Amino acid sequence: MSTNALAEQLQRSAASETNMVKSLADQGLLEHVPYHGVRLTRAGERSALRIIRRHRVIELYLIEKLGYTWDTVHGEAERLEHAVSDELVNRMAGTLGDPEFDPHGAPIPTAEGLIAERPLRSLRDLSPGEAGIVGQVDDADSGRLQRLAELGLRPGARVKRLAGVGAPPVMLQVSGEVVSLEADLVEAVLVECDDG
């Protein structure tokens, strides 16, 4: 990825991004080849997986043990992920039964950096009549998460696409109820398909 693309994605200035890239390269976490972009080193990948693990375990712990809702937990987990120790995260994970997935269905890396993989498809790509189980939802927008929860579109929910080939709205049967989804919600849901 180019440093300009990285700056745009992170909504930071190019100069700020260049300084961050240089610092991470000096720490051995990424390789930067001018005019060709950046990529994580093995150490960088391990560090990234460690932060992802922390974030996702903290999210699940806050929901399961402290009563947070799935649409409010992201910001709190971002604040805590850099402050807690690996030991605390491992104890939290153990208390939760060493879960494989966070509350939004995203895989939680193990302490060794392994990630459970499963075949997921975008809800957008289902044809009318195809069914499956919600596997993961995009957690970037709390308002969208609230709407998904209201419609019952959480990981584990059974869905069947009824209509809506092409442009939304898409008609779905969600755990027995018929709902209509606009584009932003359709794009936020990934499913594990089945024959039901």
Side-chain angles (χ1 to χ4, degrees), residues 11-87:
Q11 299 177 344
R12 297 176 64 163
S13 72
S16 170
E17 205 56 43
T18 299
N19 288 337
M20 182 184 74
V21 165
K22 183 179 179 338
S23 173
L24 292 172
D26 289 346
Q27 295 173 53
L29 298 176
L30 60 80
E31 295 172 347
H32 176 230
V33 179
Y35 309 106
H36 291 284
V38 296
R39 90 170 159 236
L40 290 173
T41 62
R42 280 203 164 142
E45 287 176 6
R46 283 191 303 271
S47 181
L49 287 169
R50 185 172 153 256
I51 294 298
I52 290 168
R53 174 178 169 74
R54 286 169 170 231
H55 183 91
R56 293 177 180 171
V57 167
I58 290 168
E59 281 188 335
L60 188 58
Y61 190 87
L62 291 173
I63 288 173
E64 294 291 323
K65 300 298 182 183
L66 300 180
Y68 280 71
T69 58
W70 80 331
D71 56 302
T72 61
V73 72
H74 184 72
E76 196 68 40
E78 278 193 343
R79 286 185 286 280
L80 292 170
E81 68 192 24
H82 299 287
V84 298
S85 68
D86 288 337
E87 180 180 346

Side-chain angles (χ1 to χ4, degrees), residues 48-150:
L49 287 169
R50 185 172 153 256
I51 294 298
I52 290 168
R53 174 178 169 74
R54 286 169 170 231
H55 183 91
R56 293 177 180 171
V57 167
I58 290 168
E59 281 188 335
L60 188 58
Y61 190 87
L62 291 173
I63 288 173
E64 294 291 323
K65 300 298 182 183
L66 300 180
Y68 280 71
T69 58
W70 80 331
D71 56 302
T72 61
V73 72
H74 184 72
E76 196 68 40
E78 278 193 343
R79 286 185 286 280
L80 292 170
E81 68 192 24
H82 299 287
V84 298
S85 68
D86 288 337
E87 180 180 346
L88 177 58
V89 169
N90 291 337
R91 286 180 182 225
M92 292 166 82
T95 298
L96 296 167
D98 293 314
E100 291 186 83
F101 303 99
D102 80 357
H104 310 102
I108 298 173
T110 65
E112 295 77 29
L114 302 174
I115 298 178
E117 297 207 22
R118 59 199 163 143
L120 297 178
R121 291 176 54 200
S122 172
L123 186 57
R124 168 184 33 81
D125 296 335
L126 294 185
S127 299
E130 279 192 281
I133 303 294
V134 174
Q136 185 174 341
V137 298
D138 184 339
D139 66 351
D141 181 288
S142 63
R144 185 171 52 206
L145 283 171
Q146 289 171 359
R147 293 195 324 266
L148 289 171
E150 289 165 4

